[in-house]
Amino acid sequence: MNVLITGGAGFIGSHVVRLFVEKYPNYHIYNLDALTYAGNLENLVDIENKPNYTFIKGDITEEAFVNSLFGTYKFEGVIHLAAESHVDRSIKDPLAFVKTNVIGSMILLNAFKECWKGDTTSKKRFYHVSTDEVYGSLGETGLFTETTPYDPNSPYSASKASSDHFVRAYGETYKLPYVITNCSNNYGQNQFPEKLIPLFINNIIHNKPLPVYGDGNYTRDWLYVKDHAIAIDLVFHKGVNGETYNIGGVNEWKNIDLVKLLCKQMDFELGRPKGTSEQLITYVKDRPGHDLRYAIDASKIKNELGWEPSVTFEEGLEKTIKWYLSNENWLKNVTSGQYQLYYKKQYR
Ligand code: NAD
Ligand code: TYD
């Protein structure tokens, strides 16, 4: 089976690509990625020479190119992760998010539709990997379920909501076989150091300020990235067409409490006196339209597919910190821009 994974050089995508390449030697995994600032082939050095893996550098917004790929490889499964993914960037440049997240997703959907040819008996499937941010913000209580109305607040979440709607609409209108998952905040190894946890790890290493937005009382539900990859594998193989599944860590943290825990663990790992890193906390101007709280009700995927997070937050955070500390070259290459030369070296 030819499986197309988009955005496989990014954070979550690289974990999904690795899992599929290693677990399914009878599949051929094609990783299509434009290698934007967020794409890093160093994430996949350990599997890049596997016989069932092919990297394709390309942009999902280039229609003729995407159509020709589907024509050549006749993908039976598509797992679509390629996206612009950072809320702060979406506030500065919303159009880039519309281009990739909406138009790019549409181009993929159309290419898949052509390739699937309306054959309702086929096992082909389009899987859209989405976010819980499409549901907007919760107050102090309550959880997002699969039937919570969409209410996106940032250009990022609006673009993801839009692509979710198109996927669903293709399911209704053309009976296109699809699944969607909406997942909470991920953390773990290989996350680009612009997102909260890796940014703060990097800043602590270099004794730089930790910019906490607003009063720090914003809440997120954190999931270890490898548990997300396991859920994606499960939904891809066992999910029911036309269904949406919420994925979450059952692990809510106020930002400021998370940052204090991170500081404590970093002091321990770096052998610094207790309380050293906390002194770096700096309250800064809030993010505009900052969602107060995200929290997932993951009972559907648990009851129907048997998925639960396997790693506690303390374990996951410890693994993550240890990984960043023992892979300082990865961090250095990313922060210096060196990582963008890797493609040129490997794929001349
Ligand atoms: P990321 O920013 O780390 O990676 C995105 C990848 O997509 C990069 O490799 C990038 O090069 C590629 N890409 C971007 N534009 C492209 C284009 N036009 N054509 C081809 N490739 C392109 O993102 P991530 O955090 O790994 O997120 C992956 C997916 O999961 C996204 O769809 C995101 O919305 C979703 N998601 C992320 C989280 C999270 O916490 N990070 C949570 C839930 C859902
Ligand atoms: P982020 O990792 O950008 O994920 P998202 O916005 O998709 O939830 O941010 C997580 C939380 O941390 C969010 O409430 C914003 C906050 N935050 C900071 O306080 N400071 C920062 O420098 C960053 C990047 C995020």
Side-chain angles (χ1 to χ4, degrees):
M1 158 144 113
N2 282 348
V3 176
L4 176 69
I5 299 182
T6 70
F11 167 48
I12 301 169
S14 60
H15 289 277
V16 176
V17 165
R18 178 177 299 98
L19 190 149
F20 273 69
V21 166
E22 287 180 344
K23 188 167 171 190
Y24 301 107
N26 54 331
Y27 293 0
H28 197 101
I29 306 301
Y30 294 85
N31 171 11
L32 169 62
D33 196 298
L35 297 182
T36 67
Y37 80 93
N40 184 351
L41 286 175
E42 286 186 31
N43 295 347
L44 291 165
V45 272
D46 54 323
I47 58 133
E48 67 185 10
N49 294 319
K50 297 268 183 184
N52 64 334
Y53 171 69
T54 303
F55 174 71
I56 301 167
K57 184 176 187 298
D59 192 323
I60 58 165
T61 66
E62 286 174 18
E63 192 171 8
F65 164 72
V66 170
N67 288 343
S68 78
L69 275 188
F70 275 79
T72 306
Y73 298 110
K74 315 264 184 280
F75 300 114
E76 288 159 276
V78 176
I79 306 178
H80 174 35
L81 296 108
E84 289 293 339
S85 69
H86 189 41
V87 174
D88 293 326
R89 285 181 190 255
S90 81
I91 295 167
K92 293 196 185 97
D93 183 10
L95 198 54
F97 284 67
V98 176
K99 282 184 186 149
T100 288
N101 300 1
V102 185
I103 312 278
S105 298
M106 283 295 294
I107 287 171
L108 277 176
L109 263 178
N110 281 334
F112 177 78
K113 179 170 157 280
E114 275 305 300
C115 178
W116 162 65
K117 295 192 186 347
D119 176 4
T120 46
T121 62
S122 90
K123 290 242 155 57
K124 288 188 175 145
R125 159 171 287 190
F126 188 96
Y127 181 164
H128 188 228
V129 176
S130 190
T131 168
D132 62 352
E133 303 192 26
V134 298
Y135 299 123
S137 184
L138 289 165
E140 295 294 339
T141 57
L143 298 171
F144 295 135
T145 72
E146 287 78 4
T147 55
T148 301
Y150 277 30
D151 189 19
N153 291 316
S154 73
Y156 164 63
S157 52
S159 68
K160 292 296 290 189
S162 172
S163 44
D164 283 1
H165 285 322
F166 275 111
V167 174
R168 207 189 140 274
Y170 272 50
E172 289 297 314
T173 307
Y174 309 112
K175 304 296 166 225
L176 185 131
Y178 78 89
V179 281
I180 298 174
T181 50
N182 296 88
C183 186
S184 63
N185 285 63
N186 284 217
Y187 70 97
Q189 40 270 64
N190 303 104
Q191 189 169 28
F192 195 84
E194 63 181 354
K195 306 273 167 68
L196 181 74
I197 292 179
L199 174 73
F200 281 27
I201 290 176
N202 191 41
N203 286 8
I204 291 171
I205 294 172
H206 296 101
N207 281 307
K208 283 166 51 179
L210 307 177
V212 172
Y213 297 162
D215 60 7
N217 282 322
Y218 295 90
T219 300
R220 298 290 182 263
D221 173 357
W222 293 90
L223 178 68
Y224 188 53
V225 64
K226 292 191 183 190
D227 276 334
H228 189 185
I230 291 168
I232 289 174
D233 176 18
L234 201 60
V235 171
F236 181 69
H237 289 99
K238 304 252 166 69
V240 175
N241 280 339
E243 291 290 322
T244 287
Y245 300 86
N246 280 355
I247 306 173
V250 202
N251 177 43
E252 287 185 51
W253 284 81
K254 279 196 193 307
N255 290 343
I256 190 62
D257 296 335
L258 186 160
V259 170
K260 286 182 178 166
L261 175 68
L262 183 67
C263 287
K264 205 164 120 195
Q265 290 203 5
M266 286 293 289
D267 285 344
F268 177 78
E269 296 293 341
L270 292 167
R272 293 179 181 169
K274 280 184 187 161
T276 309
S277 301
E278 269 199 30
Q279 289 167 22
L280 299 169
I281 293 175
T282 312
Y283 291 92
V284 299
K285 193 165 167 278
D286 212 346
R287 170 188 279 174
H290 200 165
D291 286 331
L292 177 68
R293 178 170 164 259
Y294 304 144
I296 286 277
D297 176 349
S299 52
K300 179 175 174 181
I301 190 170
K302 181 179 175 189
N303 296 337
E304 295 186 10
L305 304 180
W307 176 89
E308 291 187 274
S310 68
V311 175
T312 68
F313 190 52
E314 285 72 11
E315 285 164 357
L317 197 58
E318 189 185 331
K319 281 179 202 274
T320 305
I321 291 172
K322 287 196 154 99
W323 185 84
Y324 279 97
L325 291 179
S326 51
N327 288 276
E328 271 203 73
N329 265 342
W330 184 94
L331 257 183
K332 260 190 216 142
N333 286 346
V334 167
T335 49
S336 68
Q338 187 72 19
Y339 72 111
Q340 288 177 317
L341 302 176
Y342 187 82
Y343 172 75
K344 296 200 178 90
K345 268 190 267 156
Q346 298 304 311
Y347 295 87
R348 252 189 281 262

